[in-house]
């Protein structure tokens, strides 16, 4: 899909398959001299009771009088002032209104919302057009026909073009994260994740290195290897590097949990909805999505991506409850529950991250069912003892409308991780499960500023529209945008 900004001229001659106009409630007039014909139609629709201007409501008119467009779509913004969330909802409704409609070239017009349209259109239209096709034919009947979206603007075109380019890059990152996370377990293997990373390296200025089991052994990654030993799929440790600043600039490091299928291992999960554990590499997918966006935007910063990738399976060679392993940090870990595997593979990746002397490390993981109980599907869980980093992530999430919520990380929660047989156990009791998981990770992050995002509730949707959401790519790119080195003059 192509996005662009075009100057607003007479709508009587604007050739368009669908002119989409955003209108306030009540009255439903946009008041632009260029759009008198639109206001006349809106007044009719309001009078007839077909359109109210309520937030997210839409009305479609074929061959509208006085306009050269084939279709006019009115979209309600609700009462003024329109906040960011309302804009998202309205633009989402506009994009959804074109499902099953033949329009290919569409135009967007809002009297006072050009900036919002530029910022939000790629996300909304990208979401409406998204189809998973890796292992399934694209259904002709639910095809989304929109091929180009032009935002009609009266002023500030250069700034709008920047905002649009930024949003397009983020949308591409979200789409890559969704495509990756949606892959079924037998397709989205550790080897496949490595290939997706390598493809990214071919398309962009991103260096990719893939470590195999032998390399992990040499590094002493005993925790990652313990999880991998129950699977016939070989594990991979994927390292991505994007250098957009000088060599002296400390890199930001993103670590993504890449469990390509989580059966629970010997501590086997119950059968219901176990298929959804193919999404247990959504953290890894979000790291790949961030690299897609950051490389497209050529951000002025250095970025490292680390993806420990493995299946978690039960077999004769699998790690067992009670086994004690030594991770790369040298700490011994008693694996009391093989289903708490994410923290094991992350612990080795977090130790590996030390070699980069990072500006900060953020790990992203579908880590605990307990986080879903605590926060549902609205906010991702945020854990950090670094207040400045936590605040920066919270506000990036609000700005990007991809929110997280800070959770506690007091030392008292770590009590339950004590073990009589190792330096630490991989589980504590049932209470505060997402916090004790974060406490476990924290033991491996002493060398740098660190935050942890538990995306167990936000990375995918269940039910009729089951599928990956691409969260929290938008949040992370928003955060990284603010971390750039000053512009060279
Ligand atoms: N991948 C799961 C977490 C998960 C569960 C995410 C359900 C989304 C939905 C993780 O590996 C896991 O199994 N965690 C256990 C930890 C427990 C054994 C301490 C959990 O949450 O039950
Ligand atoms: Mn698990
Ligand atoms: Zn898991």
């Amino acid at each position: 899909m192509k996005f662009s900004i075009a100057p607003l001229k007479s709508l009587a001659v604007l050739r368009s398959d669908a002119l989409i106009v955003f209108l306030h409630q009540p009255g439903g007039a946009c008041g632009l001299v260029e759009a008198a014909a639109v206001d006349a139609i809106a007044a009719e629709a309001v009078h007839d009771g077909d359109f109210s201007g309520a937030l997210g409501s839409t009305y479609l008119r074929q061959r509208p009088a006085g306009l050269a467009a084939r279709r006019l779509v009115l979209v309600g913004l609700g009462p003024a002032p329109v906040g960011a969330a309302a804009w998202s909802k309205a633009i989402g409704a506009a994009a959804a209104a074109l499902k099953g409609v033949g329009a290919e070239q569409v135009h967007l017009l809002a009297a006072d919302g050009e900036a919002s349209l530029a910022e939000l259109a790629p996300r909304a239209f990208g979401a409406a057009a998204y189809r998973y096709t890796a292992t399934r034919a694209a259904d002709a009947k639910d095809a989304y026909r929109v091929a180009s979206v032009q935002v009609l603007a009266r002023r500030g075109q250069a700034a709008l073009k920047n905002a649009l380019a930024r949003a397009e890059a983020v949308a591409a990152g979200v789409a890559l994260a969704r495509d990756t996370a949606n892959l079924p377990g037998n397709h989205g293997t550790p080897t496949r994740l490595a290939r997706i990373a390598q493809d990214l390296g071919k398309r962009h200025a991103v260096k990719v290195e893939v470590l195999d089991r032998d390399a992990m052994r040499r590094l002493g990654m005993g925790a990652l290897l313990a999880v991998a030993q129950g699977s016939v799929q070989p594990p991979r440790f994927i390292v991505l590097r994007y250098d957009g600043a000088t060599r002296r600039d400390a890199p930001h490091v993103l670590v993504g949990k890449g469990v390509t299928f989580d059966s629970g291992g010997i501590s086997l999960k119950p059968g219901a909805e176990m298929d959804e554990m193919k999404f247990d590499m959504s953290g890894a997918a979000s790291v790949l999505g961030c690299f897609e966006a950051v490389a497209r935007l050529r951000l002025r910063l250095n970025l490292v991506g680390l993806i420990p990738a493995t299946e978690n399976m039960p077999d004769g060679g699998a790690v067992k409850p009670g086994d004690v392993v030594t991770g790369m940090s040298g700490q011994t870990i008693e694996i009391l529950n093989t289903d708490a595997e994410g923290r094991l593979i992350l612990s080795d990746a977090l130790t590996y991250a030390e070699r980069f002397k990072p500006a900060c490390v953020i790990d992203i993981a579908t880590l605990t069912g307990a986080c879903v109980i605590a926060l549902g599907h609205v906010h991702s869980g945020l854990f950090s003892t670094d207040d400045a980093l936590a605040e920066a992530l919270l506000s990036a999430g609000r700005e990007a409308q991809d929110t997280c919520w800070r959770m506690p990380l007091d030392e008292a929660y770590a009590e339950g991780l004590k073990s009589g047989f190792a330096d630490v156990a991989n589980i504590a009791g049932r209470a505060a499960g997402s916090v004790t998981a974060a406490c476990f990770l924290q033991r491996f992050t002493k060398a740098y500023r660190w935050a942890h995002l538990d995306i167990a509730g936000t990375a995918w949707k269940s039910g009729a529209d089951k599928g990956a959401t691409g969260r929290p790519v938008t949040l992370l790119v928003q955060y990284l945008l603010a971390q750039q080195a000053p512009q060279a003059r």
Side-chain angles (χ1 to χ4, degrees):
M1 206 179 295
K2 274 195 62 65
F3 294 87
S4 56
I5 309 284
L8 171 60
K9 299 199 189 112
S10 163
L11 295 182
V13 297
L14 174 79
R15 301 211 156 274
S16 176
D17 293 333
L19 170 63
I20 304 179
V21 184
F22 295 82
L23 301 172
H24 285 285
Q25 189 181 31
C30 88
L32 293 170
V33 282
E34 295 90 340
V38 172
D39 284 348
I41 292 170
E44 276 175 23
V46 170
H47 177 266
D48 293 349
D50 296 339
F51 180 69
S52 65
L55 177 59
S57 64
T58 60
Y59 170 82
L60 189 147
R61 170 85 61 109
Q62 304 276 353
R63 315 287 144 144
L67 298 171
R70 284 166 166 266
R71 303 172 188 82
L72 171 67
V73 180
L74 304 179
V75 182
L77 288 169
V82 184
W87 270 114
S88 290
K89 186 161 181 200
I91 298 171
L98 296 183
K99 279 186 187 162
V101 173
E104 290 172 11
Q105 324 284 339
V106 314
H107 294 81
L108 308 182
L109 175 63
D112 272 313
E114 292 156 347
S116 299
L117 292 179
E119 276 164 31
L120 297 169
R123 185 199 297 210
F125 282 86
Y130 181 81
R131 295 286 180 284
Y132 170 80
T133 54
T135 52
R136 156 187 209 277
D139 243 331
K141 68 171 178 359
D142 76 0
Y144 196 70
R145 301 271 296 273
V146 176
S148 93
V149 178
Q150 281 206 325
V151 176
L152 300 174
R154 284 162 302 153
R155 53 178 175 265
Q157 298 208 20
L160 293 180
K161 279 181 183 152
N162 278 336
L164 190 65
R166 183 182 290 185
E168 268 191 274
V170 175
V174 167
L176 176 66
R178 294 181 71 178
D179 276 339
T180 303
N182 277 331
L183 287 172
N186 63 329
H187 291 261
T189 58
T191 318
R192 177 72 170 270
L193 289 187
R195 213 175 68 222
I196 295 170
Q198 277 155 342
D199 286 349
L200 221 151
K202 284 185 195 124
R203 280 183 286 119
H204 299 300
V206 173
K207 286 181 228 122
V208 179
E209 189 188 353
V210 178
L211 308 185
D212 63 8
R213 205 190 291 262
D214 282 337
M216 293 173 213
R217 268 199 203 104
R218 286 193 292 275
L219 287 162
M221 294 182 161
L224 171 54
L225 287 167
V227 176
Q229 78 190 37
S231 168
V232 295
Q233 287 292 338
R236 293 287 182 260
F237 189 87
I238 306 164
V239 184
L240 301 101
R241 291 206 62 147
Y242 164 84
D243 294 311
T246 71
R247 289 176 59 180
R248 282 173 323 208
D249 285 288
H252 299 261
V253 179
L254 301 177
V255 180
K257 173 178 172 182
V259 174
T260 59
F261 187 76
D262 181 10
S263 71
I266 297 297
S267 312
L268 194 65
K269 286 184 180 296
E273 279 127 50
M274 204 206 270
D275 66 291
E276 295 189 6
M277 282 299 119
K278 71 171 187 169
F279 294 118
D280 210 18
M281 40 61 148
S282 298
S286 76
V287 171
L288 296 171
C290 284
F291 271 81
E292 177 75 42
V294 165
R296 280 180 186 237
L297 290 170
R298 298 201 169 85
L299 292 195
R300 297 183 311 279
L301 51 73
N302 297 329
L303 189 64
V304 171
L306 301 177
I307 297 177
T310 178
E311 280 186 337
N312 184 25
M313 295 289 280
D315 86 354
V319 73
K320 305 172 294 298
D323 285 1
V324 173
V325 301
T326 307
M328 189 178 174
S329 74
Q331 296 177 62
T332 58
I333 305 167
E334 185 183 19
I335 300 176
L336 287 172
N337 189 320
T338 65
D339 198 10
E341 85 298 339
R343 61 196 79 183
L344 294 174
I345 70 169
L346 289 171
S347 71
D348 280 340
L350 290 168
T351 303
Y352 187 86
E354 287 178 13
R355 67 183 53 204
F356 300 103
K357 301 191 168 46
C360 77
V361 177
I362 303 169
D363 78 72
I364 307 106
T366 48
L367 201 63
T368 64
C371 192
V372 190
I373 303 302
L375 297 175
H377 307 287
V378 179
H379 302 295
S380 303
L382 167 66
F383 302 79
S384 181
T385 46
D386 186 313
D387 290 340
L389 179 55
E391 280 305 323
L393 286 165
L394 286 168
S395 69
R398 280 190 297 264
E399 285 161 28
Q401 300 188 59
D402 181 359
T403 51
C404 53
W405 194 266
R406 192 166 179 189
M407 300 279 285
L409 202 56
D410 308 56
E411 243 175 67
Y413 287 104
E415 259 327 277
L417 293 170
K418 289 200 170 130
S419 161
F421 298 93
D423 299 333
V424 64
N426 78 328
I427 55 164
R430 268 168 47 85
S434 68
V435 187
T436 56
C439 288
F440 179 90
L441 296 179
Q442 193 189 15
R443 295 177 63 95
F444 304 89
T445 64
K446 302 295 178 191
Y448 44 70
R449 302 173 66 208
W450 162 76
H452 157 59
L453 287 168
D454 192 333
I455 58 168
T458 52
W460 75 87
K461 288 185 177 151
S462 309
D465 48 343
K466 187 189 292 181
T469 61
R471 290 180 70 179
V473 170
T474 313
L475 181 169
L476 290 166
V477 177
Q478 185 79 30
Y479 168 77
L480 292 171
L481 276 164
Q483 305 307 312
Q484 295 184 86
Q487 192 128 35
R489 291 197 298 147

